[in-house]
Amino acid sequence: MTQLDVRPQVADTVIGAAEGDVRGKGLGKGSVGLVGSAVIGISTVAPVYCLTSTLGSTAGEVGLQMPAVFLAGFLPMLLVAFAYRELNKAVPDCGTSFTWTVKAFGPRVGWMCGWGLVIATIIVLSNLAGVATSYFWLLAGEITDNPSISALDDNKLVHIATCLTLIAAATAISYRGMTATKGVQYALVGLQLAVLGLFVAMAFQKASAGSFDTGLDFSWQWMNPFAVESMAAFTAGLSLSIFMYWGWDACLATNEETTGSAKTPGRASLIAMVVLVGSYLATGVAAQMAVGSGTTGLGLGNPETSDNVFAALAGPVMGPLLGILLFVAVLASATASLQTTFIPVARTVLAMSTYEALPSSYAKVHPRFKTPGRATVMAGVATGVFYTVMTLVSENVLTDTIFALGLMICFYYSLTAFACAWYFRGELRRSARDLFFKGVFPVLGGLLLATVFLKTLIDMWNPSYGSGSTVLGVGSVFVIGVGLLALGLVIMFVTERRSPAFFRGQVLTKSTPALVVED
């Protein structure tokens, strides 16, 4: 392969991909294997955190069909995962969605896709830090049996200070490289999955013993998505379900640091998806059998407890002693995800800088740790500033920002799925496998997510969406979601004036693969 002349601050190596203009970044090669990559994907999703924050809300929207909606949300994610796998085989670049959409659709679409990933990740990082902070003080109060300690979380200054400390710690671990990240993740992911398994087993036991009056017998009708009462309820539940799977693509962001970079990340993402859907279905069915999906008492749909289901169910299902383990698991889940979620945003920024789509200073890799040091620190600072400002301005603004997250997720996932089909359009007639895995499946996944994007955009216009706040009569969630995308456009136009070569297609070019390199 012909060596390329690149800028001095970028390692002048070329990834073994099909495209000759793809640049190496100087990241640590071979530091993550298949299991480590899958663990990073699971950790970034944070299954226990996702379950406690959305299990009740989903049941409140779709009732007994909650397990069916979990499956429905899994479908577009699985289809998009095939797109990621095929694109990674051809172009194993840590820029993932950014790099691939540039190759398929050109620099401007690719830049906006990268922006969608970055801003979505910053929002999630701030939310994860806030949840980890709340559970830290809640757990401290439970262990000491002192409600006044738990109440410290209500002190805004204490809450922000604790949150910033957690963000700094997560940034430091990510800064030190994939080896440090991997070791912490094995422990945290193992802990949360073990405790979740214990909760599921004890919930099934309570259900079989009829311990709660609201408990139900299992029915296969729960798996029927067509039994949801209305399309609006189904769409709302599906949006929540899609959020519960978001983050598995962190497996792909480490592709330049993974052994067998062309195949291992794609396989790891599919393993992570299977573990996640199995965990969600088992937990959803077990909890529904134990306490039902009603809107009163311990029912999952009770609006008073739906935003934190495990806090309500920990004691009744697991008892006072083991129930503390569930608090520990939620804290471990949020903390683990906080740390690994830095991986995709830092590496996307690194790639964008390497290809001259962002300032060149972010293309620097730490000489010892082989990580995008400056990009990681930037992500940590941005997360801390974002969370502090949003918390001081209004709790409603922070809540509505989180509601707007679904828009960003569907935006860049659907673009990546469509990019796969367009990038490989010349290969779709080569075999049935190529037709389905590079064309049909990605397009279906992209269309499903694009539909959710448009429906969510329409629903966000209503002031009742999210916290109920409005800006000039328009729902604040809509203003925030569309405003963040518009901000990306502004930054892109400013960047284009300073880095014209990238936007002229002279650095990373639109193309179709001449050959897919197999390991």
Side-chain angles (χ1 to χ4, degrees):
M1 182 177 292
T2 303
Q3 195 79 4
L4 292 179
D5 292 324
V6 298
R7 295 173 299 160
Q9 67 269 25
V10 180
D12 52 329
T13 56
V14 179
I15 300 171
E19 299 300 331
D21 58 356
V22 175
R23 299 172 176 176
K25 320 295 185 305
L27 296 167
K29 302 289 185 180
S31 55
V32 184
L34 178 63
V35 175
S37 183
V39 165
I40 287 172
I42 295 169
S43 174
T44 305
V45 174
V48 177
Y49 154 72
C50 284
L51 283 166
T52 193
S53 59
T54 58
L55 190 66
S57 300
T58 306
E61 294 288 348
V62 300
L64 297 176
Q65 269 56 55
M66 177 252 295
V69 172
F70 284 169
L71 282 174
F74 172 70
L75 178 60
M77 289 300 187
L78 178 63
L79 296 174
V80 172
F82 287 128
Y84 271 74
R85 185 186 67 176
E86 297 303 320
L87 286 165
N88 182 74
K89 284 182 181 179
V91 188
D93 187 272
C94 71
T96 59
S97 293
F98 159 73
T99 303
W100 299 331
T101 47
V102 171
K103 302 294 289 182
F105 299 133
R108 290 174 183 80
V109 175
W111 199 99
M112 284 303 298
C113 187
W115 169 258
L117 187 155
V118 169
I119 198 65
T121 308
I122 295 298
I123 293 172
V124 167
L125 281 168
S126 64
N127 186 39
L128 287 167
V131 170
T133 297
S134 296
Y135 265 89
F136 172 80
W137 290 113
L138 179 62
L139 180 61
E142 288 287 331
I143 292 174
T144 59
D145 195 25
N146 189 344
S148 62
I149 293 180
S150 297
L152 286 174
D153 187 55
D154 297 326
N155 184 311
K156 190 164 287 189
L157 292 180
V158 172
H159 179 92
I160 290 175
T162 308
C163 188
L164 293 179
T165 301
L166 290 174
I167 291 172
T171 304
I173 295 173
S174 297
Y175 186 89
R176 290 182 62 84
M178 294 305 301
T179 302
T181 298
K182 187 171 57 176
V184 173
Q185 291 309 314
Y186 280 137
L188 294 178
V189 170
L191 171 64
Q192 62 176 297
L193 291 181
V195 175
L196 187 61
L198 180 62
F199 172 82
V200 169
M202 296 187 75
F204 277 128
Q205 183 184 36
K206 296 287 185 180
S208 62
S211 301
F212 306 108
D213 294 338
T214 55
L216 300 169
D217 293 328
F218 174 77
S219 171
W220 286 108
Q221 186 68 8
W222 296 354
M223 303 295 177
N224 179 15
F226 299 103
V228 179
E229 291 184 358
S230 69
M231 180 57 69
F234 178 77
T235 303
L238 185 62
S239 180
L240 289 167
S241 179
I242 288 172
F243 166 72
M244 291 177 70
Y245 292 104
W246 180 79
W248 56 267
D249 52 313
C251 301
L252 284 300
T254 62
N255 49 20
E256 294 186 43
E257 300 152 273
T258 304
T259 55
S261 60
K263 292 184 178 180
T264 300
R267 291 170 177 170
S269 67
L270 294 177
I271 292 172
M273 293 286 283
V274 170
V275 171
L276 290 169
V277 72
S279 300
Y280 292 162
L281 283 176
T283 306
V285 170
Q288 196 157 272
M289 289 178 64
V291 301
S293 292
T295 57
T296 59
L298 291 176
L300 297 177
N302 186 339
E304 296 182 1
T305 60
S306 62
D307 62 340
N308 194 349
V309 167
F310 287 155
L313 297 184
V317 173
M318 302 182 71
L321 184 59
L322 291 178
I324 292 178
L325 284 177
L326 201 52
F327 290 123
V328 173
V330 176
L331 177 59
S333 183
T335 303
S337 183
L338 175 63
Q339 192 240 308
T340 53
T341 304
F342 277 102
I343 292 172
V345 64
R347 281 149 184 79
T348 298
V349 170
L350 171 68
M352 293 179 76
S353 181
T354 299
Y355 297 119
E356 304 177 34
L358 285 177
S360 60
S361 59
Y362 294 115
K364 294 180 179 179
V365 170
H366 193 282
R368 177 185 172 190
F369 300 128
K370 302 298 182 183
T371 60
R374 183 164 295 187
T376 301
V377 172
M378 182 277 296
V381 171
T383 300
V385 170
F386 179 85
Y387 188 82
T388 301
V389 171
M390 291 296 110
T391 302
L392 292 175
V393 169
S394 170
E395 293 290 344
N396 287 339
V397 174
L398 184 62
T399 300
D400 287 341
T401 302
I402 296 166
F403 269 96
L405 174 64
L407 203 67
M408 309 299 167
I409 295 172
C410 291
F411 174 73
Y412 85 85
Y413 272 165
S414 59
L415 276 179
T416 307
F418 292 137
C420 178
W422 187 249
Y423 180 75
F424 290 113
R425 63 190 182 278
E427 298 184 1
L428 299 184
R429 297 181 181 180
R430 195 170 63 178
S431 67
R433 183 201 178 281
D434 286 337
L435 174 63
F436 282 97
F437 286 104
K438 296 178 180 179
V440 175
F441 293 161
V443 168
L444 285 176
L447 287 174
L448 288 171
L449 290 176
T451 301
V452 175
F453 175 87
L454 292 174
K455 183 64 168 63
T456 302
L457 199 63
I458 294 169
D459 292 342
M460 283 179 174
W461 183 269
N462 191 327
S464 65
Y465 196 95
S467 69
S469 302
T470 63
V471 178
L472 300 177
V474 179
S476 59
V477 180
F478 180 91
V479 173
I480 291 170
V482 175
L484 287 173
L485 289 175
L487 176 63
L489 282 172
V490 173
I491 296 175
M492 183 183 72
F493 290 137
V494 172
T495 305
E496 184 171 359
R497 293 175 63 90
R498 297 182 176 181
S499 305
F502 168 78
F503 290 95
R504 290 172 185 163
Q506 297 171 346
V507 180
L508 193 62
T509 59
K510 288 175 62 177
S511 59
T512 55
L515 175 67
V516 176
V517 178
E518 301 284 353
D519 284 355

